[in-house]
Amino acid sequence: MPIMPAWLRVVSAMSRVIHVFRKPDRFVAGTVGEPGDRTFYLQASEDVRTISVTIEKQQVVVLAERLSALLEEVASRFGADVPDDVPEDQVDVAPLTVPVEEEFRVGTMGLGWDADSGAVVVELLAITEGEVDETVVLDDTEEGPDAVRVFLTPVTARAFAERADRVVNAGRKPCPLCAEPLDPAGHICPRQNGYRRDVDVTED
């Protein structure tokens, strides 16, 4: 996989920008807003630089799942030292760094393994109107959507996935009857023939 020589590459005024974090201080999923009306973000920080991108909740779920699957694969295929779990004190539970300013909305995501550095590579590409050519993912081509590329050790990748799971599950509690999300104003449960149940809903 081609590796860029700097953390930030700007080819020209009209070309794509790839924000590269080789040794991030943080790479986390987080939200802004109340349960039921949350906006999801991924945020990468290194030294004085912080980049935030907007992402759909389901994309966070998929990214966490595929990260975990990739870690299992590199452990079996390449003998990489991958922890089964992460100590609690290594899971970043701090809120997002403010102000949270959207760089772009994530469309395509890519994952890779850089054997030279022993790192998982996560790439987040900006959403575009048309389909993204798969050859631009994890590549330094000048054509294509802007991107954020983050290098993670196996430990930090596990920690990211653990926090992502917690963030996703910290929204509205599920109804014990139908499993649909409960709303603070009440819930029309199909298992109760549409009867509205008033509930006290708090964030997990």
Side-chain angles (χ1 to χ4, degrees):
M1 182 186 71
I3 302 298
M4 293 173 51
W7 352 311
L8 176 62
R9 176 186 177 193
V10 181
V11 178
S12 72
M14 299 301 292
S15 297
R16 70 193 301 221
V17 177
I18 305 176
H19 305 272
V20 182
F21 294 80
R22 291 189 171 281
K23 295 182 178 179
D25 301 313
R26 296 186 81 198
F27 179 57
V28 296
T31 62
V32 173
E34 296 299 320
D37 190 28
R38 298 186 297 169
T39 300
F40 285 75
Y41 291 90
L42 296 183
Q43 190 175 76
S45 301
E46 185 175 338
D47 296 328
V48 297
R49 209 169 39 115
T50 297
I51 296 289
S52 303
V53 294
T54 310
I55 189 168
E56 296 296 327
K57 177 180 178 179
Q58 188 57 35
Q59 288 177 299
V60 178
V61 173
V62 170
L63 180 57
E65 290 176 349
R66 294 188 178 175
L67 261 177
S68 297
L70 178 62
L71 289 171
E72 298 301 328
E73 183 178 355
V74 298
S76 61
R77 289 183 57 188
F78 304 109
D81 185 11
V82 175
D84 293 330
D85 49 33
V86 181
E88 186 66 25
D89 61 358
Q90 292 191 39
V91 178
D92 188 335
V93 296
L96 295 172
T97 301
V98 294
V100 181
E101 300 177 345
E102 178 189 302
E103 185 71 20
F104 57 74
R105 179 174 292 275
V106 175
T108 302
M109 300 184 293
L111 287 178
W113 173 252
D114 181 35
D116 291 338
S117 61
V120 173
V121 186
V122 179
E123 183 148 298
L124 311 165
L125 286 79
I127 195 168
T128 59
E129 292 184 0
E131 292 186 6
V132 174
D133 184 343
E134 292 183 0
T135 62
V136 308
V137 182
L138 297 172
D139 202 323
D140 298 338
T141 179
E142 296 181 8
E143 300 298 326
D146 290 352
V148 172
R149 186 179 298 166
V150 185
F151 290 71
L152 302 173
T153 67
V155 172
T156 55
R158 279 277 192 231
F160 171 88
E162 173 62 28
R163 173 179 169 128
D165 287 340
R166 296 182 188 184
V167 168
V168 166
N169 293 319
R172 292 174 292 172
K173 294 181 178 180
C175 172
L177 296 178
C178 70
E180 292 296 317
L182 292 169
D183 293 313
H187 171 64
I188 299 177
C189 180
R191 295 286 297 277
Q192 293 289 325
N193 297 319
Y195 175 71
R196 178 178 292 275
R197 302 180 66 211
D198 293 326
V199 293
D200 181 17
V201 181
T202 57
E203 187 172 358
D204 292 341

